[in-house]
Amino acid sequence: MRVTGALADVRDEARIGPLFKAFSPDIVIHAAALKHVPYLEADWGEGIKTNIFGSVTVTEAAIAAGAGIFVMISTDKAIEPVSMLGATKRFAEIHTEALDARLRAEGAPTRLISVRFGNVLGSNGSVVPKFAAQIERGGPVTVTHPDMVRYFMTVGEAADLVLTASLHAATPDAPVRASTYVLKMGKPVRIIELAERMVRLSGFEPGVDIEIAFTGVRPGERLHEILFAKDEKRVDVGEEGILAAQTNGASLEVIAGWRARLAAALKSHDRAEAEAVFREAIPTFSPDPVDAPALPAPQAGAGGTRTTVA
């Protein structure tokens, strides 16, 4: 089997459409996104262009090319979002759900699904390689806040979620039809505990050999991520370790109106209008999250860990 590739921008409709038709994929895994939370808080328009309009372009190209399965990689930050990253990814989920519902009603061969990732261990931008590099340099290991917790999954679990969800969605007689799949990731992990464990596994003592420094919660971040919104129904799809989220979405006609307003907001550089659209599309969107508790004063913590507020 010969593996080939091509360079393209998901925002370039004139490039993506012909590329997909020429390749004629059976399965499309859409992982292209801008995902750095603080960056998108500053350059919010770029997130809309890539995470929403780019996703729409790739979705439509996949359908036109006759793909059997389209998988959009989403994030736990899309649930009751407080950031532009979360809002843009949740909007992309809503569009995927609505378009999939229409295709199913029409008896079309293409299925469209989303899968929600937590933090993928070892991926680009993950805290694990970041902490490893900081430990190798002798510290400090930087943690935003002592109460920060996150859901984690391995690269293998992420790949398995994509493949299992794809197979389930492609099964015509599956007992449950779903558009959004979520891995059961167990309990979230405190980032400070992860940092301390990595320091110890490297042969050092936190606060003695390697300093742990708290840097403060960044724009668009919250202390605790969630996997399901309050208005979502969790459904067992019959696959071990995987659940589906069933929501009451909007129609494609309504979504088209929101997209037009977002395009106008981009043209006029009107962030307030873009956020107004997100509030309509995602009633749980709150761009002004509750402030995190104040960072502790520098002191020796439990287990001798000395904390520094940067």
Side-chain angles (χ1 to χ4, degrees), residues 277-301:
V277 174
F278 288 138
R279 285 190 176 94
E280 288 184 27
I282 314 162
T284 55
F285 173 55
S286 175
D288 300 309
V290 177
D291 291 337
L295 290 171
Q299 61 183 352

mmCIF file of all heavy atoms in Angstrom, residues 277-301:
data_model
loop_
_atom_site.group_PDB
_atom_site.id
_atom_site.type_symbol
_atom_site.label_atom_id
_atom_site.label_comp_id
_atom_site.label_asym_id
_atom_site.label_seq_id
_atom_site.Cartn_x
_atom_site.Cartn_y
_atom_site.Cartn_z
ATOM 1 N N VAL A 277 -23.563 35.576 18.946
ATOM 2 C CA VAL A 277 -23.963 34.401 18.162
ATOM 3 C C VAL A 277 -23.719 33.133 18.961
ATOM 4 O O VAL A 277 -24.575 32.236 19.022
ATOM 5 C CB VAL A 277 -23.197 34.352 16.829
ATOM 6 C CG1 VAL A 277 -23.498 33.042 16.089
ATOM 7 C CG2 VAL A 277 -23.551 35.538 15.952
ATOM 8 N N PHE A 278 -22.570 33.044 19.600
ATOM 9 C CA PHE A 278 -22.254 31.849 20.374
ATOM 10 C C PHE A 278 -23.221 31.669 21.546
ATOM 11 O O PHE A 278 -23.592 30.548 21.884
ATOM 12 C CB PHE A 278 -20.811 31.901 20.886
ATOM 13 C CG PHE A 278 -19.779 31.691 19.810
ATOM 14 C CD1 PHE A 278 -18.628 32.467 19.768
ATOM 15 C CD2 PHE A 278 -19.961 30.727 18.834
ATOM 16 C CE1 PHE A 278 -17.680 32.274 18.776
ATOM 17 C CE2 PHE A 278 -19.018 30.532 17.830
ATOM 18 C CZ PHE A 278 -17.878 31.309 17.806
ATOM 19 N N ARG A 279 -23.658 32.770 22.137
ATOM 20 C CA ARG A 279 -24.618 32.661 23.246
ATOM 21 C C ARG A 279 -25.961 32.119 22.755
ATOM 22 O O ARG A 279 -26.651 31.408 23.482
ATOM 23 C CB ARG A 279 -24.805 34.024 23.915
ATOM 24 C CG ARG A 279 -23.641 34.447 24.808
ATOM 25 C CD ARG A 279 -24.024 35.695 25.623
ATOM 26 N NE ARG A 279 -22.966 36.056 26.544
ATOM 27 C CZ ARG A 279 -22.004 36.933 26.285
ATOM 28 N NH1 ARG A 279 -21.966 37.530 25.098
ATOM 29 N NH2 ARG A 279 -21.086 37.219 27.187
ATOM 30 N N GLU A 280 -26.326 32.477 21.529
ATOM 31 C CA GLU A 280 -27.573 31.941 20.964
ATOM 32 C C GLU A 280 -27.410 30.466 20.609
ATOM 33 O O GLU A 280 -28.297 29.654 20.877
ATOM 34 C CB GLU A 280 -27.963 32.736 19.716
ATOM 35 C CG GLU A 280 -28.465 34.133 19.992
ATOM 36 C CD GLU A 280 -28.920 34.826 18.718
ATOM 37 O OE1 GLU A 280 -29.333 34.106 17.773
ATOM 38 O OE2 GLU A 280 -28.864 36.064 18.655
ATOM 39 N N ALA A 281 -26.293 30.139 19.980
ATOM 40 C CA ALA A 281 -26.064 28.763 19.529
ATOM 41 C C ALA A 281 -25.764 27.825 20.690
ATOM 42 O O ALA A 281 -26.133 26.648 20.662
ATOM 43 C CB ALA A 281 -24.920 28.729 18.516
ATOM 44 N N ILE A 282 -25.086 28.358 21.697
ATOM 45 C CA ILE A 282 -24.646 27.552 22.839
ATOM 46 C C ILE A 282 -25.100 28.272 24.104
ATOM 47 O O ILE A 282 -24.363 29.103 24.657
ATOM 48 C CB ILE A 282 -23.107 27.397 22.844
ATOM 49 C CG1 ILE A 282 -22.593 27.024 21.449
ATOM 50 C CG2 ILE A 282 -22.666 26.378 23.876
ATOM 51 C CD1 ILE A 282 -21.115 27.277 21.250
ATOM 52 N N PRO A 283 -26.305 28.004 24.591
ATOM 53 C CA PRO A 283 -26.826 28.736 25.750
ATOM 54 C C PRO A 283 -25.929 28.664 26.985
ATOM 55 O O PRO A 283 -25.980 29.560 27.830
ATOM 56 C CB PRO A 283 -28.178 28.052 26.005
ATOM 57 C CG PRO A 283 -28.581 27.507 24.680
ATOM 58 C CD PRO A 283 -27.307 27.072 24.028
ATOM 59 N N THR A 284 -25.098 27.627 27.073
ATOM 60 C CA THR A 284 -24.224 27.493 28.241
ATOM 61 C C THR A 284 -22.884 28.201 28.057
ATOM 62 O O THR A 284 -22.019 28.130 28.932
ATOM 63 C CB THR A 284 -23.952 26.003 28.538
ATOM 64 O OG1 THR A 284 -23.427 25.368 27.359
ATOM 65 C CG2 THR A 284 -25.230 25.293 28.955
ATOM 66 N N PHE A 285 -22.688 28.886 26.929
ATOM 67 C CA PHE A 285 -21.438 29.607 26.686
ATOM 68 C C PHE A 285 -21.317 30.770 27.660
ATOM 69 O O PHE A 285 -22.211 31.603 27.775
ATOM 70 C CB PHE A 285 -21.406 30.118 25.250
ATOM 71 C CG PHE A 285 -20.230 31.017 24.932
ATOM 72 C CD1 PHE A 285 -18.927 30.592 25.161
ATOM 73 C CD2 PHE A 285 -20.434 32.284 24.395
ATOM 74 C CE1 PHE A 285 -17.851 31.414 24.857
ATOM 75 C CE2 PHE A 285 -19.367 33.109 24.082
ATOM 76 C CZ PHE A 285 -18.065 32.677 24.323
ATOM 77 N N SER A 286 -20.184 30.831 28.356
ATOM 78 C CA SER A 286 -19.934 31.902 29.313
ATOM 79 C C SER A 286 -18.501 32.373 29.143
ATOM 80 O O SER A 286 -17.575 31.793 29.720
ATOM 81 C CB SER A 286 -20.163 31.403 30.752
ATOM 82 O OG SER A 286 -19.816 32.389 31.690
ATOM 83 N N PRO A 287 -18.278 33.425 28.340
ATOM 84 C CA PRO A 287 -16.908 33.858 28.066
ATOM 85 C C PRO A 287 -16.218 34.516 29.248
ATOM 86 O O PRO A 287 -15.039 34.831 29.175
ATOM 87 C CB PRO A 287 -17.090 34.857 26.923
ATOM 88 C CG PRO A 287 -18.483 35.367 27.096
ATOM 89 C CD PRO A 287 -19.279 34.216 27.631
ATOM 90 N N ASP A 288 -16.953 34.731 30.344
ATOM 91 C CA ASP A 288 -16.363 35.324 31.540
ATOM 92 C C ASP A 288 -16.477 34.335 32.696
ATOM 93 O O ASP A 288 -17.369 34.443 33.542
ATOM 94 C CB ASP A 288 -17.073 36.631 31.908
ATOM 95 C CG ASP A 288 -16.977 37.649 30.785
ATOM 96 O OD1 ASP A 288 -15.855 37.892 30.318
ATOM 97 O OD2 ASP A 288 -18.027 38.184 30.377
ATOM 98 N N PRO A 289 -15.603 33.320 32.723
ATOM 99 C CA PRO A 289 -15.701 32.295 33.760
ATOM 100 C C PRO A 289 -15.469 32.873 35.147
ATOM 101 O O PRO A 289 -14.854 33.923 35.313
ATOM 102 C CB PRO A 289 -14.587 31.304 33.386
ATOM 103 C CG PRO A 289 -13.605 32.126 32.617
ATOM 104 C CD PRO A 289 -14.439 33.115 31.857
ATOM 105 N N VAL A 290 -15.965 32.157 36.132
ATOM 106 C CA VAL A 290 -15.748 32.566 37.514
ATOM 107 C C VAL A 290 -14.248 32.576 37.798
ATOM 108 O O VAL A 290 -13.525 31.662 37.424
ATOM 109 C CB VAL A 290 -16.465 31.600 38.479
ATOM 110 C CG1 VAL A 290 -16.162 31.986 39.923
ATOM 111 C CG2 VAL A 290 -17.966 31.617 38.214
ATOM 112 N N ASP A 291 -13.778 33.634 38.420
ATOM 113 C CA ASP A 291 -12.351 33.745 38.700
ATOM 114 C C ASP A 291 -11.877 32.586 39.565
ATOM 115 O O ASP A 291 -12.563 32.153 40.497
ATOM 116 C CB ASP A 291 -12.047 35.062 39.421
ATOM 117 C CG ASP A 291 -12.237 36.266 38.515
ATOM 118 O OD1 ASP A 291 -12.173 36.081 37.289
ATOM 119 O OD2 ASP A 291 -12.446 37.370 39.034
ATOM 120 N N ALA A 292 -10.691 32.088 39.250
ATOM 121 C CA ALA A 292 -10.091 31.025 40.055
ATOM 122 C C ALA A 292 -9.675 31.580 41.410
ATOM 123 O O ALA A 292 -9.413 32.783 41.544
ATOM 124 C CB ALA A 292 -8.879 30.453 39.331
ATOM 125 N N PRO A 293 -9.644 30.741 42.432
ATOM 126 C CA PRO A 293 -9.163 31.196 43.732
ATOM 127 C C PRO A 293 -7.755 31.772 43.611
ATOM 128 O O PRO A 293 -6.992 31.400 42.721
ATOM 129 C CB PRO A 293 -9.170 29.913 44.573
ATOM 130 C CG PRO A 293 -10.141 28.999 43.891
ATOM 131 C CD PRO A 293 -10.021 29.326 42.432
ATOM 132 N N ALA A 294 -7.442 32.680 44.503
ATOM 133 C CA ALA A 294 -6.123 33.301 44.474
ATOM 134 C C ALA A 294 -5.034 32.254 44.669
ATOM 135 O O ALA A 294 -5.229 31.235 45.346
ATOM 136 C CB ALA A 294 -6.024 34.360 45.565
ATOM 137 N N LEU A 295 -3.902 32.494 44.041
ATOM 138 C CA LEU A 295 -2.775 31.596 44.219
ATOM 139 C C LEU A 295 -2.274 31.668 45.649
ATOM 140 O O LEU A 295 -2.312 32.727 46.283
ATOM 141 C CB LEU A 295 -1.646 31.969 43.259
ATOM 142 C CG LEU A 295 -1.895 31.687 41.787
ATOM 143 C CD1 LEU A 295 -0.799 32.309 40.942
ATOM 144 C CD2 LEU A 295 -1.969 30.197 41.529
ATOM 145 N N PRO A 296 -1.789 30.535 46.181
ATOM 146 C CA PRO A 296 -1.277 30.548 47.558
ATOM 147 C C PRO A 296 0.012 31.343 47.655
ATOM 148 O O PRO A 296 0.741 31.495 46.680
ATOM 149 C CB PRO A 296 -1.033 29.059 47.836
ATOM 150 C CG PRO A 296 -0.757 28.467 46.492
ATOM 151 C CD PRO A 296 -1.650 29.226 45.546
ATOM 152 N N ALA A 297 0.273 31.846 48.840
ATOM 153 C CA ALA A 297 1.541 32.530 49.068
ATOM 154 C C ALA A 297 2.665 31.517 49.028
ATOM 155 O O ALA A 297 2.464 30.330 49.329
ATOM 156 C CB ALA A 297 1.521 33.230 50.427
ATOM 157 N N PRO A 298 3.876 31.918 48.625
ATOM 158 C CA PRO A 298 5.005 30.984 48.589
ATOM 159 C C PRO A 298 5.226 30.348 49.955
ATOM 160 O O PRO A 298 5.339 31.029 50.962
ATOM 161 C CB PRO A 298 6.183 31.890 48.206
ATOM 162 C CG PRO A 298 5.563 33.033 47.488
ATOM 163 C CD PRO A 298 4.249 33.258 48.172
ATOM 164 N N GLN A 299 5.212 29.009 49.961
ATOM 165 C CA GLN A 299 5.405 28.297 51.218
ATOM 166 C C GLN A 299 5.716 26.854 50.929
ATOM 167 O O GLN A 299 5.563 26.367 49.817
ATOM 168 C CB GLN A 299 4.131 28.391 52.067
ATOM 169 C CG GLN A 299 2.917 27.771 51.373
ATOM 170 C CD GLN A 299 1.648 27.912 52.165
ATOM 171 O OE1 GLN A 299 1.663 28.336 53.307
ATOM 172 N NE2 GLN A 299 0.528 27.553 51.575
ATOM 173 N N ALA A 300 6.139 26.145 51.959
ATOM 174 C CA ALA A 300 6.386 24.700 51.850
ATOM 175 C C ALA A 300 5.063 24.001 52.004
ATOM 176 O O ALA A 300 4.376 24.154 53.007
ATOM 177 C CB ALA A 300 7.357 24.240 52.923
ATOM 178 N N GLY A 301 4.652 23.248 50.996
ATOM 179 C CA GLY A 301 3.365 22.573 51.016
ATOM 180 C C GLY A 301 3.486 21.144 51.497
ATOM 181 O O GLY A 301 4.514 20.723 52.038
#
